[in-house]
Amino acid sequence: MITTKTELFKEIENLIKNLKPEIISDERKAVLQPLTDFIQSKVSSGQEIRINFICTHNSRRSHLSQVWAQTMAYYFNIKNVFCYSGGTEATALFLIVAETLHKSGFEVKTISEGSNPIYSIKYADNEHPIVGFSKKLDDDFNPKSEFAAIMTCSQADGGCPFIAGAEKRIPITFDDPKAFDNMPKQAEKYNERSLQIATELLYVFSQINS
């Protein structure tokens, strides 16, 4: 039986095609290189690729990174990539993050409401949705070993010098869009950070020889 790969939602695909990874500086590429190396080593040895994006509250940058990494792996048809996120504490996936992803073309649905809502985040019709909610980095939902821990904020990077079970611990920090919460440019700044993360992960996955 012949199976065909389903396509990304068109709006997401168009967004990706308009990203400009060529603007990434050499200094930033050097920051991204250890993640590229980790993914390539797993691909070359035929192993599963587990990446846990970690921030303090698991509410903003870590979720954007998880979603875009999983999407870019699919876009480049890199198999057996499993992306996660976690925090040094659990809070809630910030509503503006869900709205930002929705505006970028993701199908975002609320599965469970409450103080820590659970979201289904889809990038293609026939692919399993990403389950988005805030959790601690060692939550049972996350891998216990054989993963790369990507530190997406400087506070978590400084506060967690050791991540239990991680094969690699890689700091790739992003400025926090929370600084613009409840300000006129809030939506613009969240979109700006989302696009930066998308651009840099596009660059990372584009380097992988599968």
Side-chain angles (χ1 to χ4, degrees):
M1 184 175 70
I2 298 173
T3 58
T4 57
K5 174 177 175 286
T6 58
E7 299 296 328
L8 280 172
F9 292 143
K10 188 57 65 175
E11 193 173 349
I12 300 174
E13 185 176 351
N14 289 339
L15 183 153
I16 291 173
K17 288 178 178 177
N18 284 301
L19 296 174
K20 295 179 169 58
E22 64 272 13
I23 69 172
I24 301 172
S25 69
D26 289 342
E27 290 80 8
R28 189 63 178 176
K29 286 178 180 177
V31 171
L32 299 169
Q33 190 62 46
L35 176 56
T36 305
D37 293 343
F38 175 82
I39 297 169
Q40 185 64 68
S41 69
K42 294 293 185 181
V43 169
S44 298
S45 60
Q47 294 179 286
E48 292 183 340
I49 303 152
R50 299 181 187 87
I51 309 171
N52 193 1
F53 294 92
I54 296 168
C55 202
T56 305
H57 300 114
N58 189 209
S59 59
R60 294 171 174 80
R61 290 163 286 180
S62 49
H63 282 290
L64 290 170
S65 300
Q66 175 189 5
V67 170
W68 278 118
Q70 195 70 62
T71 302
M72 292 303 176
Y74 179 80
Y75 182 73
F76 287 102
N77 200 27
I78 299 170
K79 306 294 187 182
N80 298 315
V81 177
F82 303 96
C83 297
Y84 306 84
S85 66
T88 54
E89 59 184 278
T91 54
L93 193 162
F94 192 53
L95 177 61
I96 305 301
V97 169
E99 292 177 353
T100 299
L101 291 168
H102 178 67
K103 289 175 183 176
S104 296
F106 292 89
E107 184 181 281
V108 180
K109 291 189 176 181
T110 305
I111 299 173
S112 174
E113 298 182 346
S115 60
N116 186 6
I118 301 173
Y119 296 92
S120 162
I121 305 166
K122 291 193 74 171
Y123 50 86
D125 276 327
N126 291 346
E127 293 302 303
H128 197 281
I130 297 162
V131 180
F133 68 99
S134 185
K135 70 204 83 66
K136 292 186 71 173
L137 60 93
D138 59 355
D139 188 273
D140 287 343
F141 205 79
N142 288 341
K144 301 301 181 187
S145 63
E146 299 179 330
F147 66 92
I150 311 302
M151 315 306 290
T152 63
C153 75
S154 55
Q155 186 176 351
D157 183 36
C160 295
F162 173 75
I163 304 294
E167 276 185 43
K168 298 283 185 182
R169 180 190 176 283
I170 304 169
I172 302 177
T173 61
F174 301 96
D175 291 339
D176 194 352
K178 181 180 180 181
F180 296 91
D181 284 1
N182 302 313
M183 297 176 66
K185 290 189 174 183
Q186 181 182 42
E188 175 188 335
K189 292 298 182 180
Y190 272 81
N191 187 58
E192 182 181 291
R193 188 61 58 243
S194 179
L195 291 177
Q196 180 202 354
I197 291 170
T199 301
E200 294 190 356
L201 289 169
L202 170 66
Y203 171 76
V204 165
F205 281 93
S206 72
Q207 303 300 300
I208 304 304
N209 180 8
S210 58

